[in-house]
Amino acid sequence: MDINYEIIYTFIIASSILAITPGPDNIFVLMQSVVNGKKYGLAVVGGLMSGCFVHTTLVAFGVSVLIQQSDTLFFIIKFLGASYLFFLAFKVFKSDAAIQLSGEKVERKSLGQLYRQGFIMNVLNPKVSIFFLAFFPGFLFSKIISNVTQFYVLGTLFVVVGIIVFGLIAILAGAISEYLKKNARVGIVLKWLQVTVFIGIGIFILFSKK
């Protein structure tokens, strides 16, 4: 079967780095785990990752049609996707490197409520669909397998990586929180790592072939 495993490995590495770098989702998981306990953080993780499949479906069927229609449309999708990733890199560059951790406003909710909150947070966030639209097309790894199937494979890999990384954040929340409080420079390292990854992925997508 015609599968480019190097592209798949690159996708997994990029997804892992993006999952590790601080954002609203993993900070939310971290604080729920610190304040309420590991299983509550894991409930949020389950909701967030379930929501990713909704965005994967939207992108898979929408973008696959456009890719099949013409090479020009595929190039436009890649160009817009790369531009969006460069924009994200610029936003991170301009942002404060400090990682803000505060458990004061963390409400205590049931596991079911937290799962639903994670799911709704993800599904109703249009930025996730836009990110998937920018991220996935450049990582199509086969000329034989249908584009829809490839998008679902990428979506599943993204979810698996997310579950592993976010799950570890939930399980190790106490230690991670203490480490971040004692090591302020970690935020600076993660900030530049995120900038580098966004730019790197943007360049990779821009020069990827159909």
Side-chain angles (χ1 to χ4, degrees):
M1 190 176 290
D2 176 35
I3 297 177
N4 189 327
Y5 287 100
E6 288 186 7
I7 290 178
I8 294 176
Y9 298 147
T10 303
F11 178 84
I12 291 172
I13 292 169
S15 299
S16 301
I17 295 173
L18 291 174
I20 291 168
T21 52
D25 290 345
N26 50 20
I27 294 295
F28 184 66
V29 169
L30 178 65
M31 294 319 301
Q32 284 293 343
S33 300
V34 168
V35 176
N36 296 319
K38 298 173 185 176
K39 63 181 180 180
Y40 292 90
L42 290 172
V44 177
V45 174
L48 289 169
M49 294 302 106
S50 299
C52 285
F53 281 116
V54 176
H55 294 288
T56 298
T57 299
L58 293 173
V59 172
F61 286 96
V63 177
S64 292
V65 172
L66 294 176
I67 290 175
Q68 289 169 354
Q69 285 181 352
S70 77
D71 291 337
T72 303
L73 282 173
F74 181 58
F75 174 78
I76 291 172
I77 290 170
K78 288 198 307 175
F79 179 79
L80 292 175
S83 299
Y84 179 67
L85 291 168
F86 293 149
F87 168 70
L88 290 179
F90 179 73
K91 280 188 69 176
V92 174
F93 170 72
K94 297 291 286 183
S95 68
D96 184 4
I99 300 173
Q100 302 296 329
L101 299 177
S102 175
E104 295 175 5
K105 298 181 180 179
V106 176
E107 291 182 57
R108 188 169 185 84
K109 297 181 179 180
S110 70
L111 295 175
Q113 287 176 318
L114 285 172
Y115 176 88
R116 286 194 298 275
Q117 184 171 351
F119 181 79
I120 292 169
M121 275 174 62
N122 191 287
V123 170
L124 297 185
N125 185 355
K127 291 182 180 178
V128 180
S129 276
I130 294 171
F131 178 73
F132 278 22
L133 178 60
F135 191 40
F136 284 13
F139 289 92
L140 295 177
F141 52 84
S142 175
K143 294 182 180 179
I144 297 175
I145 302 172
S146 74
N147 289 332
V148 170
T149 300
Q150 290 185 70
F151 275 116
Y152 273 109
V153 170
L154 294 174
T156 301
L157 288 173
F158 189 89
V159 167
V160 169
V161 168
I163 289 173
I164 293 171
V165 174
F166 279 38
L168 286 173
I169 289 173
I171 293 168
L172 303 174
I176 292 172
S177 178
E178 287 302 313
Y179 182 78
L180 291 176
K181 288 175 182 176
K182 292 177 182 177
N183 296 271
R185 295 188 64 177
V186 172
I188 298 172
V189 174
L190 292 175
K191 171 181 176 176
W192 283 103
L193 180 62
Q194 199 171 12
V195 169
T196 303
V197 170
F198 278 138
I199 292 174
I201 296 172
I203 293 171
F204 179 84
I205 289 174
L206 201 56
F207 291 96
S208 63
K209 296 180 181 179
K210 185 174 179 181

